[in-house]
Amino acid sequence: MDGEYVDALVATAPDGIAFDDLHVAHENDGYTFQTPDVDHSGIDEATLRTVAAESPYVRNWYFWHATAPQKADRWAFLRWLEGAEQRDVAERYDALADGVSATWGELHLTVTLSDGTRTYSIRHRADADVGSSVLDAHDDPLDAREIAKHDDDGGYRPLKTAPSLQTGWVFPELSAGDLVTTVETFYPATIANWHREQEDELDVTHWRDTVDRQTGIYGVVKTWDRGDGHEHVNWVAEACCDDSQCLKRREWQYDDETDLDVDGGSGPFPCREPCSLVIAGARKWTKLEGEQAQTYEFELTPSEKEQVEEIIDAVADGEADDIREADIYEGANRYRTRFLRAKLFDDEGNLGGVETER
């Protein structure tokens, strides 16, 4: 590589170089070479090669223009990872020697520099302090597809950006290009959308426009908007787009002029439009909300009413599986719930013996 980066600098010098405090040019009286550490003017090519070979600024320039992916969003993402806009080359190289880390959703990303070469690693952020030797090592970015399919309990993950990524793995030595590919495999389009937002070019498709373009079995969602407000879309966003359910930050609203009343979350990467999971849920809710309300009468003790509320909360927040059999004081405890069912359901499974009216 030594010869490559010096050769590249000499070849590019006639066009001028100005990058990360490195300035190189070729004039009639010779070459100029400037960094915060040195300032040479009127030098010949041999001298240029000598000073260039010793300069970390040249290696840095070569990495960003010959090694790093040149696609704008990927390039910007790698610059963000090592704090290139906040630290100069000298500060960055000192930090990179020990490793610079950042989180991206549930990913823990690290870049280190050794002998002028950057190496990248990815693991679950919960495993940030776990020794690599006890983690399953991978080197193929596409292995992330299989890792992302299931959570730690083996449950299928239909939403890639759900905060349920399994732990216990590591990609210990990736190139810059492979790092970005791996991140995009875990979280598709997040780098591109993050960069669009950074450049103030994020195009957002709101609920109303997304629903209007639905066809086939999803076309029924259009009928949910009946001109009586957008509270139903608030319910959808609260159900699906909370930080506890998705790592994206919802930027879409009801329409261009009407914001939703629920918070969009605080994720690092933006959500540009209602996703397929939201639309699939909306299809079911459209049918359910089309039913006429009925009045049912049940008798519950105050504690039983509170227990029903606790059960709903536990299921909605994904906490039901965490409640142990011994936690008998928890409303959603399995034995307490079974007791409630035994007391309140009839032999046909009707709550309070009251049949459901269709």
Side-chain angles (χ1 to χ4, degrees):
M1 175 181 165
D2 289 356
E4 291 181 4
Y5 74 82
V6 174
D7 288 344
L9 182 87
V10 173
T12 309
D15 298 324
I17 296 173
F19 179 76
D20 276 0
D21 294 327
L22 171 67
H23 299 271
V24 182
H26 186 204
E27 306 294 344
N28 292 332
D29 59 346
Y31 294 93
T32 60
F33 182 95
Q34 298 174 327
T35 72
D37 301 326
V38 299
D39 186 348
H40 299 283
S41 298
I43 59 177
D44 58 20
E45 181 178 325
T47 304
L48 174 65
R49 287 180 174 276
T50 299
V51 296
E54 300 170 351
S55 175
Y57 291 86
V58 177
R59 287 177 176 264
N60 178 70
W61 165 81
Y62 184 78
F63 170 80
W64 289 110
H65 292 85
T67 304
Q70 295 304 290
K71 193 167 179 284
D73 55 351
R74 295 182 166 212
W75 199 81
F77 178 75
L78 292 168
R79 298 275 291 176
W80 164 82
L81 174 57
E82 64 180 61
E85 308 309 323
Q86 289 75 45
R87 293 182 282 217
D88 62 27
V89 173
E91 291 176 310
R92 231 185 309 153
Y93 272 43
D94 285 343
L96 288 170
D98 297 322
V100 174
S101 297
T103 58
W104 188 255
E106 289 189 292
L107 303 179
H108 181 80
L109 315 175
T110 301
V111 51
T112 56
L113 183 72
S114 178
D115 295 327
T117 301
R118 286 169 171 81
T119 301
Y120 297 84
S121 68
I122 306 179
R123 62 179 66 197
H124 195 289
R125 68 185 181 192
D127 293 328
D129 298 324
V130 177
S132 295
S133 61
V134 301
L135 301 175
D136 292 334
H138 300 265
D139 56 16
D140 184 350
L142 298 185
D143 286 353
R145 289 177 178 173
E146 289 300 317
I147 296 172
K149 280 185 179 180
H150 302 94
D151 60 24
D152 276 331
D153 295 324
Y156 178 66
R157 301 174 66 245
L159 183 65
K160 288 287 187 69
T161 49
S164 58
L165 185 64
Q166 66 174 281
T167 58
W169 50 267
V170 62
F171 291 78
E173 295 185 14
L174 296 173
S175 66
D178 283 349
L179 170 93
V180 178
T181 300
T182 307
V183 171
E184 284 287 345
T185 304
F186 277 118
Y187 297 138
T190 56
I191 292 177
N193 288 335
W194 166 83
H195 184 249
R196 289 189 183 103
E197 186 175 55
Q198 297 295 307
E199 297 297 308
D200 200 24
E201 296 176 354
L202 184 69
D203 51 326
V204 176
T205 303
H206 298 292
W207 168 271
R208 185 66 263 176
D209 290 334
T210 301
V211 166
D212 283 344
R213 73 180 186 219
Q214 299 305 310
T215 59
I217 63 174
Y218 296 102
V220 68
V221 180
K222 300 176 187 177
T223 66
W224 200 2
D225 285 346
R226 304 184 178 97
D228 54 356
H230 61 276
E231 186 177 17
H232 59 297
V233 187
N234 283 330
W235 299 336
V236 172
E238 185 173 346
C240 299
C241 306
D242 184 79
D243 281 343
S244 66
Q245 305 304 309
C246 181
L247 296 170
K248 289 184 180 180
R249 174 178 18 91
R250 179 181 55 77
E251 294 298 323
W252 55 268
Q253 306 292 342
Y254 179 72
D255 59 30
D256 283 330
E257 300 178 350
T258 311
D259 287 350
L260 297 180
D261 301 321
V262 296
D263 185 71
S266 58
F269 25 82
C271 177
R272 299 166 50 218
E273 62 182 339
C275 69
S276 59
L277 189 63
V278 166
I279 296 301
R283 174 175 177 260
K284 180 62 176 179
W285 292 318
T286 298
K287 296 179 178 181
L288 295 176
E289 291 300 306
E291 297 179 358
Q292 293 295 317
Q294 305 288 338
T295 299
Y296 298 93
E297 185 172 324
F298 309 102
E299 288 189 357
L300 299 173
T301 67
S303 294
E304 288 168 348
K305 173 183 174 293
E306 290 178 347
Q307 185 181 354
V308 171
E309 294 165 348
E310 289 181 44
I311 292 171
I312 293 174
D313 279 343
V315 173
D317 294 336
E319 298 173 352
D321 289 341
D322 297 330
I323 298 175
R324 300 175 303 164
E325 294 178 358
D327 293 334
I328 202 69
Y329 295 103
E330 295 285 346
N333 170 269
R334 181 156 62 92
Y335 292 121
R336 282 194 61 187
T337 302
R338 289 177 61 84
F339 179 88
L340 195 67
R341 183 178 68 177
K343 176 183 177 180
L344 298 180
F345 284 34
D346 64 15
D347 292 342
E348 282 70 44
N350 295 309
L351 176 60
V354 179
E355 293 185 358
T356 301
E357 297 183 20
R358 294 292 181 184

